[in-house]
Amino acid sequence: MNEYRKDFPMLKQGYIYFNSASTALKPQIVIDASNEYYEKYSVNTNRGVDSLGYMVTNKYEQTRNKIAKFMNANANEIIFTRGTTSGLNLVARFFESAILEDDEIIVSIHEHHANFIPWQQLCMRKKAKLILVKTYRDGTVDLDDLKSKINFNTKIVALNHISNVFGGINPLKDIATIVHQYNAYFVVDGAQGIVHEQVDVKDLDIDFYAFSGHKIYGPTGVGVLYGKYSILENMEPAEYGGEMIDVVTLNKTTFKKPPYCFEAGTMMIAEVLGLGKAIDYIQSIGYSKMNEHVKQIRHYLIERLTQEIKDIQIYNRDIVDSNLITFNIKGIHSHDVASHLDSKKIIIRAGHHCASPLMEYLGVASTIRVSLAFYNTKEECNQLVGALKEVGDYLNVLFK
Ligand SMILES: Cc1ncc(COP(=O)(O)O)c(C=O)c1O
C-alpha cells in the first residue's frame, strides 16, 4: 500500500501516525477540493440566480447524491451535519416530544459519549429509563440480552456500528430485526463503522446512521446523518433560519421538505465538497484492499508487542477484523507512554477515548490506543515497538 502514502502531505512531515480512529489524515485531493472552492467559486449555495451560485449548488447536491448512492439511500435521506456528534444530538432532539415518562432507551456501555450523553440527558429530562444492554468483550451486543430487555416501552435503541475502544463490529441487521419487532427506532453511531465497512442502509434496515467526514479521510466540520424518509418527514426542524423555509409571513412559517428543513443557514460548503472527494478516494482503493493491509500489519504488531513489551496488557488482541490495538503497560501511565512516543514523532491516543462509563466498567483510568490505517507500514510498527521498549528508561531518567 506504500504507493498511497504520497497522497498524504502530513506523512511528508516525518510523523508516524497511529491515531486515525481519532481523525484520519487527508489526501491531497480532499485538500484540493476544499481549496478550489475558496479560490475559484467561493459563493453560497441556493441563494440568488448567478451562474456561480448554480454551479456550487449543483456540486453540493451532487455530493449529496454521491453519498446517498454510497450508502444505498435516497438523496432526500442525507442530511449534512457538523459530524457524528451533531447528527446524534439532532436525532435526540427529534425525539424530544415523543419520549414520555417510563419510556425506555437502550444503549451499551461501549458507546462513545456522543452516543451516550444525548440519550442519558433526554431520559433525565423526560423521566424515561436508560437501559444498558450487555455486551461481549469486543464491545458487540449480546443479542439474547437485547431480546430479554427490549419491550413495547422501548422507543430507541442507540448503538455503535464499531466500538472506538475495542473495535468489535455489531451485527446491525440482526439488531434492526429485533428492534423493529417492538416498533422502536434503531439509531447507529457509524463514526468508526463506515471507515471499515460498506454500509447499505436499506439492506440493514437502519433508521438513522450518523458519521463524520474527518474519520473517512475527509475534512473536519462536516458529517452526515442518514434518516429514513418516512421518519424524517414527520420530524420538526431543530434550527430555524435561512434556506430551510418555504413561506414566511408575520404569523406563520412553512418549511421545506427533508433534508433541507434540517439544514438551516449557510452550510459548510468547502467541507461537503471535500467529503465527496474523500468518498471517491475510498472507492478508488476499495474497503477490502484497505482492510486486508490493516489486518496484516495489526497481526504483525500484536505479535511483536506481545513478545517484546514486558507487562503489556492488550485488551482486544483476539478481535481479528479491527484496526485498533488497545492496551496498557503495567505500572506506567498511558499519558507517560504517549509523551515518550510524542518525543519520537509517533502519535497515538492515550486517555478515556470519550468512553468514560466503559473505562469505569473496566476499572482503568485510561488506555493507550494504536489505530491503524492503510497508509501505515510494518516499518512504522517496528519503530513503535522500539520506542515502547524505551518507555521505562525514559521515565527513570525523567524522575531521577
Ligand atoms: C464511535 C464514535 N462515535 C462518535 C464519535 C464522535 O465523532 P465526532 O467528534 O467527529 O463528532 C467518535 C469520535 O471519536 C467515535 O469514535
Side-chain angles (χ1 to χ4, degrees), residues 21-22 83-86 112 114 160 162 164 189 191-192 212 214-215:
S22 173
T84 311
T85 304
S86 70
H112 186 282
N160 63 69
I162 296 187
N164 68 313
D189 169 355
Q192 301 294 336
S212 303
H214 69 98
K215 291 191 200 281

Side-chain angles (χ1 to χ4, degrees), residues 11 30 86 88 95 113 147 157 165 175 186 210 229 232 262 291 317 323 347 354 380:
L11 291 175
V30 166
S86 70
L88 294 168
F95 285 95
H113 292 164
K147 284 180 200 158
V157 175
V165 182
I175 297 173
F186 186 25
Y229 194 81
L232 290 182
F262 305 118
N291 290 343
R317 195 195 144 95
N323 69 323
I347 302 173
C354 299
E380 289 179 323

Side-chain angles (χ1 to χ4, degrees), residues 78-360:
I78 299 297
I79 303 168
F80 287 117
T81 65
R82 198 172 54 77
T84 311
T85 304
S86 70
L88 294 168
N89 275 279
L90 179 58
V91 181
R93 233 168 315 149
F94 284 160
F95 285 95
E96 184 72 37
S97 53
I99 297 294
L100 304 173
E101 192 168 341
D102 291 334
D103 279 348
E104 296 179 4
I105 296 178
I106 296 181
V107 296
S108 88
I109 194 97
H110 283 262
E111 300 316 312
H112 186 282
H113 292 164
N115 196 34
F116 183 82
I117 307 172
W119 308 117
Q120 178 199 54
Q121 296 297 307
L122 179 58
C123 286
M124 282 165 70
R125 283 195 299 276
K126 298 318 224 27
K127 297 199 174 73
K129 293 178 192 148
L130 189 67
I131 309 285
L132 283 186
V133 62
K134 270 193 202 151
T135 40
Y136 298 108
R137 267 191 43 217
D138 64 355
T140 59
V141 164
D142 175 339
L143 295 181
D144 288 331
D145 192 61
L146 178 63
K147 284 180 200 158
S148 76
K149 288 189 174 146
I150 196 165
N151 60 71
F152 283 101
N153 289 333
T154 308
K155 293 295 172 304
I156 293 169
V157 175
L159 297 167
N160 63 69
H161 181 178
I162 296 187
S163 142
N164 68 313
V165 182
F166 291 152
I169 306 173
N170 260 323
L172 298 184
K173 199 168 173 171
D174 296 340
I175 297 173
T177 305
I178 299 168
V179 171
H180 291 146
Q181 279 163 7
Y182 292 87
N183 298 329
Y185 295 98
F186 186 25
V187 181
V188 182
D189 169 355
Q192 301 294 336
I194 203 158
V195 186
H196 305 288
E197 280 207 332
Q198 189 72 53
V199 174
D200 179 332
V201 287
K202 285 213 172 76
D203 178 54
L204 296 170
D205 197 19
I206 288 163
D207 298 308
F208 292 97
Y209 191 98
F211 71 90
S212 303
H214 69 98
K215 291 191 200 281
I216 53 164
Y217 315 102
T220 54
V222 63
V224 167
L225 175 67
Y226 157 81
K228 260 186 201 159
Y229 194 81
S230 56
I231 305 172
L232 290 182
E233 66 182 348
N234 293 310
M235 295 297 163
E236 293 293 319
E239 285 187 330
Y240 300 104
E243 283 310 314
M244 47 80 70
I245 50 87
D246 186 14
V247 178
V248 186
T249 67
L250 264 185
N251 302 320
K252 191 177 158 203
T253 300
T254 55
F255 305 108
K256 282 185 179 159
K257 294 207 173 310
Y260 303 106
C261 56
F262 305 118
E263 293 182 2
T266 297
M267 297 296 282
M268 52 311 255
I269 304 165
E271 288 75 14
V272 166
L273 302 186
L275 175 58
K277 289 293 173 192
I279 287 174
D280 291 343
Y281 188 75
I282 290 177
Q283 288 184 312
S284 72
I285 303 173
Y287 279 111
S288 58
K289 204 168 162 187
M290 295 193 288
N291 290 343
E292 188 47 41
H293 175 77
V294 167
K295 192 171 170 176
Q296 278 178 23
I297 56 170
R298 182 178 187 271
H299 178 72
Y300 173 76
L301 182 55
I302 287 197
E303 290 302 305
R304 286 208 60 188
L305 290 173
T306 313
Q307 283 161 21
E308 297 175 45
I309 305 300
K310 212 170 137 254
D311 291 332
I312 192 166
Q313 183 182 11
I314 302 177
Y315 298 102
N316 61 345
R317 195 195 144 95
D318 304 330
I319 305 169
V320 182
D321 287 324
S322 173
N323 69 323
L324 309 176
I325 306 176
T326 301
F327 61 95
N328 270 317
I329 300 174
K330 204 168 156 206
I332 306 180
H333 196 284
S334 65
H335 288 176
D336 291 327
V337 176
S339 296
H340 176 61
L341 296 178
D342 180 53
S343 72
K344 307 268 172 194
K345 292 189 96 169
I346 301 175
I347 302 173
I348 50 102
R349 173 85 192 264
H352 55 54
H353 314 293
C354 299
S356 300
L358 177 61
M359 295 293 124
E360 197 182 323

Side-chain angles (χ1 to χ4, degrees), residues 358-377:
L358 177 61
M359 295 293 124
E360 197 182 323
Y361 173 74
L362 292 174
V364 294
S366 66
T367 74
I368 300 151
R369 182 186 70 186
V370 167
S371 49
L372 301 165
F374 67 93
Y375 40 63
N376 290 124
T377 63

